[in-house]
Amino acid sequence: MTAASTPPGTGPSGILGRVLLLCVAFGPPAVVVQVWPALRSDPGLAFGALLGWWALVAVGRFAGQVAGVLGGMWAQRVADVLDRAVMRRTSYRGRYAKSLIAGVSYVDLEGVPTQSEYHLDLHEVYVDVGVAPRPLHDAVREPYLGTMAAVGERVGLRKFLEVPEPVRLAVVAGPGAGKSTLLRRTALDWQRRRGGLPVLLILRDHVGAILDDPSLTLAAAVASLRWLHGDVPAAWFERRLERGRCLVLLDGLDEVAGEDHRRAIVDWVSAQIIRYPRNDFVITSRPYGYETAPLTGATVLQVWRFTPEQATRFVHGWYLAMERRSRNADGPDVAEHAREAADDLLVRVRAQPALFDLAANPLLLTMICNVHRYRGALPGSRAELYGEMCEVLLYRRQEAKRLTDPPPGPTGAQKKLVLRELALYMMRHKVRDLPTRDLHKVITPALARVVRRADAAEFLSMVERSGLLVQREAGSYAFAHLTLQEYLAAEEIREKNRPDILAETVDDPWWRETALLWAAGSDAGPLVEACLRSGSARALALAFDCQDDALELAPGLRDRLDDLLSSSVDDERRALMVQVRVTRALRRTITLGNTAEACATPVSAGLYRLFVEDSAWRGESRRPDLPGDAWPEDDDPISGLWDVDLEPFLTWIGEHQRDQPYRLPTVAELNDPVMHPVADIRKRPVWARGEATGHRPKPATAAGVPHPFGISVPTLQRRLQADRVPAAMFAMASKNTPFVPELARALFRQFSVGPTPGWIEAYDWLPVRVALDYCPDPRPHLADARLTLFTGALPDFLPASAAARDDGLRRFVGLLDADFVQSGERFAKDHSRERWRLDLLPSPALRSRAYEILSLSYPVVLFRWLQADRPLDRRRDAEVRLNAYWARHLRGMGPTFYVSPGRAAGMAERALVPPAMPGDEPMRVLTAVIADNLVHLLDKVLTRAVPVTAEIATCLRFGAMALAAAYADHEDARVVFINLACGVTALEERARGEIVPDDMVVLIRN
């Protein structure tokens, strides 16, 4: 019998263990019996002690066995940890990680013609576009280029991988969307995770091996990677894959040629999933390649395209990395230069709607960056850029990946020739989609001229794989982006020398971009001459655009265009040129959803100035609030608009664009990320249309963005504090102020229990009050006077009886001699003449209204203040007490009021019909006079017939607050008048430059 077959316990080690066990079981009890006589004399006790000892021995033996087993297990675990640590640093894991980082950490630009001399690392420029689950049939119909409709929450791929159970994911997207870059970055991130191992395979490199041997294991395929150089054996990968926690990344199913081959590869992938079930698997493909060979059980994720914010971040990262490499330096100067270059490109891209739309594709955005840096500023080179885009999509990238079509198929240049003819056919028929049967009719003759065997269906399949043509619906195809159709059509016109096609269409906006792309590489003379012959606003606008973009144009034609701009003397010619300028200003648009287009740039100062000038011809003032009263540069966005001017502006635009009505955007449209590069409400206010028909426009802002007409409560209080002095002075300087005696009697009744003394009717109460507040006088007895009736402290100063009160009043009046009152009146008149000028008002009638508002408002405020403010603190002066009154009056309102001129006008209409005021007949009459004057003067301000000076603002604001005080018990009326005061204050703050408006306007057309 061999050692392997020896029964347990019969070997040498087993016999020795049994002997030791017997010694332990009987040896110690024998010794104890010898040294402990009591056990010898008591057999029961001795037997119990023996049993206890044997139980203890049994427990000890079991514990020893458990410790032995656990020790072996923990020793193995510690050994595994040490093995992994050592292997990671010195052996296969370390070698693999090093090779992986070297092989995939750079930006891959295979097939791109214009490239940098530097390779950029992924970490320098990578922006995670995100993915979202989507049904495969929807993903297949999604255009590959342009902005992308929301398909779900934008999340990173990591979210789908960080789940307890292994996952199977299929990531689909069009060409250049960043599928491969996503896998490369995921592999780099995963290799840094503890215990995780990324496995990245480019499927096209293993098609031959898999087809030759379908039993090829994933471990063997990974070990054969060229960049590993055979340094890591397949056995090591086999162990890691069997252990699990690996992330298997399989890139480019669509790059496997032939539907049968793709299905074979998918079958092989399914077999590997079964063989290594404890790992995550991710496979990427263009939708068309995955649709015919889907991976069973895989969740389909569609890759998002760049948002405007992501595109901005990418461009800034790209330029910063490029500047660092080119200068071999870092620092503030390098960062500033990179920022300026990136901002320049972004401004140019946003000004070209088609280019901006294409920039949502990461590959095309990278090409845009390269062309901008190495071929000169866009948009002058955009025709060349579109040419490169077509070539990259059509054949250059496939050739760089060694994925050329088998002979005798057409070459890349021949494919482009056929597509040029197709594009021109679609432009001439004004279609974006073409049924398959019509498409075959167009391309078959063109194919026959470039290849011997013309198979339209096969050609269509090749071009569809490139992403340049996409299937919109079953049996209908279109170019991936209208811009590429326009570019190819322009190329066909140039190659065939057919400018007559464009000359016949100068009034048709459908052909505008094609004409400009043709002019960018041609002598634009024939087209400009056709535009001049037409003489329409749209044709002349095209002529000026061609002058800007043309490769060449005769000096004589340039002079004729310049003469048009300088000779606009008569009304008819001026109107035509205004229409030309409007057409040019609104020509670039960005698509919003399926039905609307937004102008690609905000309304410019130059365009709005034309509207202001035209309005002035009609006798209307529409000038915006301009800082320093100076117009910005013509191309800068206009700011400082009033809401009451926006509807007239839209009407004026409609007069010059009758076939394309324009409107303001909705708040929802402004929240669309596509709009943010044009008008970002998170950074500045943008005017939006009213929420319902007939509602006035309003500025849309995000939290934290100042409202262009926003006034805080502290600002209003500060202005009211400054208003008190001139209001009091005008009240005092006004002779025979109406209703003041009646108010004086009413005020006396508030504090007296007896009949009103007759002398009070002759008492010029208000001037005395103002004199006490504002006329400096050293006489000590005036300090006592300030503590009496005219400081509102009469109940505390006079005795309780009616007779005593009457006597106290007489004694008080005796303190105020006639000279004192007269000096106060003279002081008020001089003060109002020197410091408050209302002669800017255009007529004596308006000046009279303004004087009346001020002279009547102060008594009303004073009356309501003294009513509400008893008993008063004698230690506080009148100014402090009045400020406290305003603070109580405004408590619970705000903290900021938003009152635009249009809203103020609506409130002014309500001010003419205030609610009934019970009692207080003098107060009713007085407030009616103030309201009538205030509304009349406010109308002149809101129509810009009167400028918003500090004096006029004081008239309107103090008058509105006087009415608010008068209607303190009528909440709705009080709020209306307070808002009117805030609206006037906003206009004053803008006129003084305290508020610098940065609002903007963007137009929408359906």
Side-chain angles (χ1 to χ4, degrees), residues 2 26 32 104 111 171 198 210 219 249 274 328 336 485 564 576 605 752 778 790 809 816 841 876 973 994 999:
T2 64
F26 292 102
V32 171
V104 303
V171 177
I210 293 172
L249 304 168
I274 296 172
N328 195 25
E336 178 64 18
Q485 176 179 318
L564 283 176
L576 175 63
S752 177
F790 303 102
L809 287 171
L816 306 176
L841 292 171
R876 302 168 68 190
E994 298 294 332
D999 53 302

Side-chain angles (χ1 to χ4, degrees), residues 51 53 110 179 302 341 370 388 542 655 689 840 944:
L51 290 178
W53 172 249
E110 285 184 313
K179 303 181 298 298
Q302 184 166 21
N370 277 317
E388 287 194 7
L542 177 61
E655 292 171 356
R689 68 190 303 183
L840 293 176
R944 293 187 179 86

